[in-house]
mmCIF file of all heavy atoms in Angstrom:
data_model
loop_
_atom_site.group_PDB
_atom_site.id
_atom_site.type_symbol
_atom_site.label_atom_id
_atom_site.label_comp_id
_atom_site.label_asym_id
_atom_site.label_seq_id
_atom_site.Cartn_x
_atom_site.Cartn_y
_atom_site.Cartn_z
ATOM 1 N N ASP V 96 -19.662 37.300 15.201
ATOM 2 C CA ASP V 96 -20.924 37.183 14.734
ATOM 3 C C ASP V 96 -21.603 35.884 15.292
ATOM 4 O O ASP V 96 -20.957 35.306 16.161
ATOM 5 C CB ASP V 96 -21.084 37.145 13.173
ATOM 6 C CG ASP V 96 -20.314 35.937 12.547
ATOM 7 O OD1 ASP V 96 -20.018 34.983 13.208
ATOM 8 O OD2 ASP V 96 -19.866 36.146 11.305
ATOM 9 N N SER V 97 -22.751 35.598 14.946
ATOM 10 C CA SER V 97 -23.478 34.502 15.497
ATOM 11 C C SER V 97 -22.913 33.089 15.353
ATOM 12 O O SER V 97 -23.135 32.080 15.985
ATOM 13 C CB SER V 97 -24.929 34.375 15.062
ATOM 14 O OG SER V 97 -24.988 34.221 13.774
ATOM 15 N N SER V 98 -21.980 33.117 14.261
ATOM 16 C CA SER V 98 -21.374 31.710 13.897
ATOM 17 C C SER V 98 -20.126 31.432 14.803
ATOM 18 O O SER V 98 -19.814 30.175 15.033
ATOM 19 C CB SER V 98 -21.044 31.623 12.504
ATOM 20 O OG SER V 98 -19.848 32.472 12.186
ATOM 21 N N TYR V 99 -19.369 32.430 15.177
ATOM 22 C CA TYR V 99 -18.176 32.226 15.927
ATOM 23 C C TYR V 99 -17.172 31.348 15.301
ATOM 24 O O TYR V 99 -16.480 30.417 15.826
ATOM 25 C CB TYR V 99 -18.420 31.655 17.401
ATOM 26 C CG TYR V 99 -19.176 32.649 18.288
ATOM 27 C CD1 TYR V 99 -20.617 32.542 18.344
ATOM 28 C CD2 TYR V 99 -18.469 33.756 18.933
ATOM 29 C CE1 TYR V 99 -21.276 33.499 19.171
ATOM 30 C CE2 TYR V 99 -19.249 34.658 19.682
ATOM 31 C CZ TYR V 99 -20.601 34.557 19.796
ATOM 32 O OH TYR V 99 -21.286 35.441 20.583
ATOM 33 N N LYS V 100 -17.226 31.341 13.997
ATOM 34 C CA LYS V 100 -16.232 30.505 13.142
ATOM 35 C C LYS V 100 -14.916 31.024 13.268
ATOM 36 O O LYS V 100 -14.588 32.147 13.257
ATOM 37 C CB LYS V 100 -16.692 30.606 11.547
ATOM 38 C CG LYS V 100 -17.988 30.027 11.210
ATOM 39 C CD LYS V 100 -18.123 30.159 9.691
ATOM 40 C CE LYS V 100 -18.310 31.642 9.332
ATOM 41 N NZ LYS V 100 -18.588 31.724 7.890
ATOM 42 N N LEU V 101 -13.925 29.968 13.510
ATOM 43 C CA LEU V 101 -12.524 30.433 13.648
ATOM 44 C C LEU V 101 -11.864 30.096 12.409
ATOM 45 O O LEU V 101 -11.999 28.985 11.891
ATOM 46 C CB LEU V 101 -11.942 29.683 14.851
ATOM 47 C CG LEU V 101 -12.152 30.070 16.329
ATOM 48 C CD1 LEU V 101 -11.585 29.240 17.365
ATOM 49 C CD2 LEU V 101 -11.674 31.600 16.439
ATOM 50 N N ILE V 102 -10.999 30.983 11.896
ATOM 51 C CA ILE V 102 -10.102 30.737 10.731
ATOM 52 C C ILE V 102 -8.708 30.473 11.340
ATOM 53 O O ILE V 102 -8.181 31.486 12.145
ATOM 54 C CB ILE V 102 -10.087 31.831 9.850
ATOM 55 C CG1 ILE V 102 -11.531 32.193 9.331
ATOM 56 C CG2 ILE V 102 -9.154 31.593 8.677
ATOM 57 C CD1 ILE V 102 -12.154 31.161 8.585
ATOM 58 N N PHE V 103 -8.012 29.350 11.210
ATOM 59 C CA PHE V 103 -6.813 28.946 11.752
ATOM 60 C C PHE V 103 -5.530 29.345 10.819
ATOM 61 O O PHE V 103 -5.748 29.164 9.577
ATOM 62 C CB PHE V 103 -6.856 27.478 12.193
ATOM 63 C CG PHE V 103 -7.611 27.220 13.437
ATOM 64 C CD1 PHE V 103 -8.951 26.954 13.282
ATOM 65 C CD2 PHE V 103 -6.999 27.214 14.684
ATOM 66 C CE1 PHE V 103 -9.704 26.557 14.418
ATOM 67 C CE2 PHE V 103 -7.781 26.964 15.820
ATOM 68 C CZ PHE V 103 -9.188 26.649 15.669
ATOM 69 N N GLY V 104 -4.438 29.636 11.541
ATOM 70 C CA GLY V 104 -3.248 29.614 10.757
ATOM 71 C C GLY V 104 -2.727 28.230 10.536
ATOM 72 O O GLY V 104 -3.393 27.157 11.008
ATOM 73 N N SER V 105 -1.607 28.103 9.872
ATOM 74 C CA SER V 105 -1.143 26.823 9.465
ATOM 75 C C SER V 105 -0.456 26.059 10.519
ATOM 76 O O SER V 105 -0.064 24.858 10.356
ATOM 77 C CB SER V 105 -0.200 26.829 8.196
ATOM 78 O OG SER V 105 0.849 27.784 8.458
ATOM 79 N N GLY V 106 -0.088 26.641 11.700
ATOM 80 C CA GLY V 106 0.495 25.995 12.789
ATOM 81 C C GLY V 106 2.043 26.138 12.889
ATOM 82 O O GLY V 106 2.689 26.344 11.827
ATOM 83 N N THR V 107 2.491 26.031 14.075
ATOM 84 C CA THR V 107 4.051 26.213 14.314
ATOM 85 C C THR V 107 4.347 25.132 15.326
ATOM 86 O O THR V 107 3.800 24.985 16.403
ATOM 87 C CB THR V 107 4.385 27.524 14.848
ATOM 88 O OG1 THR V 107 4.153 28.574 13.950
ATOM 89 C CG2 THR V 107 5.965 27.510 15.270
ATOM 90 N N ARG V 108 5.229 24.220 14.889
ATOM 91 C CA ARG V 108 5.696 23.117 15.778
ATOM 92 C C ARG V 108 6.895 23.623 16.551
ATOM 93 O O ARG V 108 7.977 24.002 15.986
ATOM 94 C CB ARG V 108 6.107 21.880 14.925
ATOM 95 C CG ARG V 108 6.515 20.694 15.833
ATOM 96 C CD ARG V 108 6.722 19.497 14.951
ATOM 97 N NE ARG V 108 5.434 18.984 14.485
ATOM 98 C CZ ARG V 108 5.294 17.901 13.708
ATOM 99 N NH1 ARG V 108 6.331 17.118 13.460
ATOM 100 N NH2 ARG V 108 4.080 17.490 13.275
#
Side-chain angles (χ1 to χ4, degrees):
Chain V
D96 59 20
S97 60
S98 71
Y99 294 97
K100 294 181 295 183
L101 284 176
I102 306 299
F103 285 87
S105 55
T107 296
R108 182 171 292 183

